[in-house]
Amino acid sequence: DGGITQSPKYLFRKEGQNVTLSCEQNLNHDAMYWYRQDPGQGLRLIYYSQIVNDFQKGDIAEGYSVSREKKESFPLTVTSAQKNPTAFYLCASSMRAGYNEQFFGPGTRLTVL
Amino acid sequence: EDQVTQSPEALRLQEGESSSLNCSYTVSGLRGLFWYRQDPGKGPEFLFTLYSAGEEKEKERLKATLTKKESFLHITAPKPEDSATYLCAVQAVGGSQGNLIFGKGTKLSVKP
């Protein structure tokens, strides 16, 4: 089955720790995205990548980092610099950036203890 | 500033009671408008893309329409399994290549 997988489903982090969220897609899509979803707010873009070895900051990139070494993978690291990291994180992909609908993974819920 | 507003925030319907959800948008130019369904604790599921005023798309009990300022998601004879949060997003001409602007969603509850 083609799709987007995210792991883990739930993640708990102590303050001061960096954590990495995994996102893999087998849709052969060029573009991948990371969003953050908080209760009562719309999805907000953290980072996106149009092609391998390239990525751009979204609206709320501070405290986050990404890499895109393979077409299929776009991991997100939540660093200790992110002041309020508890949220639901969603990864998405599209055939190419800017012109196609985005398809989402199942999400990772991160809780800071 | 590009903006998307969805109304109502929450909608409770009886099974079989048809209604509509609204998505109003303010963008300098529309590249595309997208509807998604999201169940609790899950990622959004893509439903429709609309590109130009007058366009309509249908899927089972759902029909999405588009005007120059808003989109409607019509739900005909809903069933309890249609209960979910429905998200609207727009992509603006000249906007960032990555950026979909999302509304806050309408939470639909359908009671049997």
Side-chain angles (χ1 to χ4, degrees):
Chain A
D1 284 339
I4 303 172
T5 58
Q6 292 185 241
S7 62
K9 186 176 175 67
Y10 300 97
L11 185 57
F12 298 91
R13 188 194 95 172
K14 294 182 180 179
E15 285 193 19
Q17 285 183 335
N18 293 354
V19 290
T20 297
L21 283 58
S22 170
C23 177
E24 304 276 334
Q25 55 98 0
N26 61 4
L27 300 167
N28 200 32
H29 285 172
D30 285 333
M32 296 186 74
Y33 314 80
W34 274 105
Y35 291 89
R36 170 183 173 138
Q37 187 173 37
D38 295 282
Q41 295 196 40
L43 275 68
R44 293 181 290 168
L45 183 67
I46 304 172
Y47 268 98
Y48 69 99
S49 168
Q50 298 185 65
I51 199 169
V52 174
N53 293 323
D54 179 71
F55 48 83
Q56 285 82 40
K57 293 182 179 180
D59 300 321
I60 55 166
E62 185 175 352
Y64 300 97
S65 65
V66 293
S67 63
R68 185 87 187 276
E69 297 177 1
K70 298 187 300 181
K71 187 175 184 177
E72 301 81 15
S73 179
F74 191 40
L76 173 74
T77 297
V78 184
T79 75
S80 57
Q82 169 49 234
K83 299 303 181 189
N84 185 22
T86 295
F88 190 48
Y89 290 88
L90 289 159
C91 178
S93 70
S94 67
M95 195 175 301
R96 56 189 178 116
Y99 290 91
N100 301 100
E101 49 273 1
Q102 297 180 16
F103 296 92
F104 285 82
T108 292
R109 185 164 299 280
L110 173 63
T111 303
V112 174
L113 303 174
Chain B
E1 181 184 350
D2 297 335
Q3 198 168 353
V4 176
T5 303
Q6 291 188 247
S7 62
E9 290 185 13
L11 181 62
R12 299 181 71 169
L13 299 174
Q14 288 297 125
E15 185 172 2
E17 180 186 2
S18 301
S19 188
S20 296
L21 282 56
N22 178 264
C23 172
S24 298
Y25 60 91
T26 305
V27 294
S28 53
L30 181 69
R31 178 171 283 167
L33 185 142
F34 307 88
W35 281 100
Y36 291 87
R37 169 193 170 125
Q38 186 175 25
D39 293 303
K42 297 189 177 181
E45 173 191 349
F46 170 74
L47 293 174
F48 304 110
T49 306
L50 301 167
Y51 291 108
S52 57
E55 190 174 1
E56 298 183 353
K57 295 274 181 74
E58 284 190 71
K59 179 180 180 180
E60 296 180 355
R61 295 177 292 282
L62 300 176
K63 183 168 91 171
T65 62
L66 181 64
T67 72
K68 288 186 177 181
K69 293 295 181 186
E70 58 192 348
S71 177
F72 292 94
L73 185 65
H74 307 277
I75 302 177
T76 302
K79 298 181 178 182
E81 52 262 41
D82 294 321
S83 298
T85 296
Y86 291 85
L87 303 175
C88 171
V90 300
Q91 194 159 48
V93 172
S96 160
Q97 288 292 308
N99 219 358
L100 290 185
I101 305 162
F102 279 85
K104 295 181 180 181
T106 294
K107 184 175 182 179
L108 174 66
S109 299
V110 182
K111 302 299 182 184

